[in-house]
Amino acid sequence: MGKKLTISSIQKQKGVKPIVMITAYDALFAKLFEESADMILVGDSLNMSFAGKSDTISATLDQMIYHTNAVCNGAKESFVVCDMPFGTYLNKEEALKNAIKVFQETSAACVKIEGGEDKAEIIKHLTSNAIAVCGHIGLLPQSVRSEGGYKVKGKTEEQREQLLKDAKAVEAAGAFCMVIEGTKADVAKEIAESVSIPVIGIGAGADVDGQVLVFSDMLGFFEEFTPKFVKKYLDGATLVKEAVAQYADEVDKKEFPKEEHTY
């Protein structure tokens, strides 16, 4: 990548160049991703990828700040997005207090808020107080328990209409871009065309303004299941297991360390 992106340069990519976003939770992987990614998302998905939980809900603000700092340290030239975790933006005052904490304690360029029309007032309160916001509509992982699972959005006319309202409300509230997750591709395309800010898809087809994937999914480290929308670009789990098995075998046979590894 070239120089670090800004909010205005990201917005200028809409309709010109697809935005590449990937998750990272630590300095090591963030540094590896920095060359290729426009934006790095410190997602509350770390609760599943790193902590082994079944959903994102128990991630805390302190956890997100810790991991965001690690990512910012590893990818100093990247545009870093910090997910606001479940329960940290229930009202305008709490949302602003918690977002200020993220901005003061990390170098994150913006925070990400799940929700559409129902969260527009909160997004507006943040953006009017110098907090940059990336929206998130469609399938909302933080609502998985209340909705009874991960359900694709945009299947009915009612859902389509609500998603369009959500996108326009998020834009009007001052978000500079938004993620759309788990949404029928034709609806996601219509939504991307209905707003002037970039719409970054995950499980929302190709006709949006960019894509985001969870790195442990797309690098094949997460073995439990693979969502339909994920392409595995590496069989990471097998490669790691084979390497560690070789190490264990060499230790067992006293083949490691050799002379060149010894002081």
Side-chain angles (χ1 to χ4, degrees):
M1 303 304 297
K3 63 181 181 178
K4 184 174 181 175
L5 292 178
T6 63
I7 284 171
S8 58
S9 60
I10 288 167
Q11 289 182 313
K12 285 175 184 172
Q13 286 191 204
K14 184 177 178 79
V16 178
K17 181 181 182 297
I19 295 164
V20 179
M21 182 191 273
I22 188 171
T23 67
Y25 317 115
D26 60 48
L28 178 66
F29 276 101
K31 189 171 181 63
L32 295 175
F33 301 156
E34 187 172 33
E35 287 180 29
S36 300
D38 293 317
M39 303 168 75
I40 294 180
L41 169 64
V42 188
D44 57 3
S45 49
L46 69 86
N47 221 38
M48 301 170 77
S49 300
F50 266 41
K53 304 279 189 179
S54 61
D55 57 37
T56 68
I57 289 171
S58 61
T60 67
L61 189 65
D62 285 342
Q63 281 178 313
M64 295 308 303
I65 286 171
Y66 172 87
H67 286 278
T68 299
N69 273 320
V71 167
C72 289
N73 287 340
K76 290 183 170 62
E77 295 304 310
S78 287
F79 189 101
V80 176
V81 182
C82 174
D83 249 345
M84 292 296 286
F86 181 75
T88 60
Y89 50 98
L90 297 175
N91 56 57
K92 293 192 299 184
E93 292 72 26
E94 279 288 301
L96 183 59
K97 183 186 81 170
N98 289 324
I100 286 172
K101 184 175 169 71
V102 170
F103 266 41
Q104 288 182 330
E105 296 184 16
T106 78
S107 299
C110 74
V111 297
K112 182 165 76 62
I113 299 272
E114 288 189 17
E117 204 174 24
D118 60 323
K119 292 295 188 292
E121 189 181 349
I122 289 170
I123 294 170
K124 186 171 179 59
H125 191 58
L126 295 183
T127 58
S128 61
N129 282 282
I131 303 290
V133 176
C134 170
H136 184 147
I137 66 170
L139 188 157
L140 306 177
Q142 291 176 12
S143 301
V144 62
R145 293 188 195 175
S146 65
E147 292 200 350
Y150 297 96
K151 296 179 179 178
V152 174
K153 303 294 180 180
K155 287 184 170 181
T156 66
E157 182 58 26
E158 184 182 8
Q159 286 183 355
R160 173 187 157 274
E161 288 176 5
Q162 185 58 54
L163 284 166
L164 283 163
K165 287 180 188 173
D166 287 340
K168 288 172 180 173
V170 167
E171 178 184 30
F176 74 94
C177 75
M178 73 183 83
V179 169
I180 184 166
E181 180 168 357
T183 298
K184 296 287 287 182
D186 59 330
V187 176
K189 178 178 187 286
E190 185 179 2
I191 286 163
E193 291 170 350
S194 76
V195 293
S196 61
I197 61 174
V199 177
I200 301 168
I202 175 166
D207 294 318
V208 287
D209 303 305
Q211 299 292 330
V212 56
L213 281 178
V214 172
F215 91 89
S216 49
D217 288 339
M218 58 93 70
L219 294 183
F221 291 125
F222 190 71
E223 294 185 289
E224 279 69 18
F225 67 93
T226 303
K228 175 181 169 63
F229 59 81
V230 171
K231 177 177 178 179
K232 284 191 178 181
Y233 289 84
L234 185 75
D235 187 2
T238 298
L239 292 172
V240 169
K241 285 177 180 178
E242 287 174 351
V244 175
Q246 184 181 348
Y247 163 65
D249 185 56
E250 289 185 9
V251 170
D252 187 54
K253 294 175 179 174
K254 283 191 167 289
E255 293 175 358
F256 173 83
K258 287 188 163 56
E259 184 67 32
E260 64 263 33
H261 309 118
T262 305
Y263 293 109

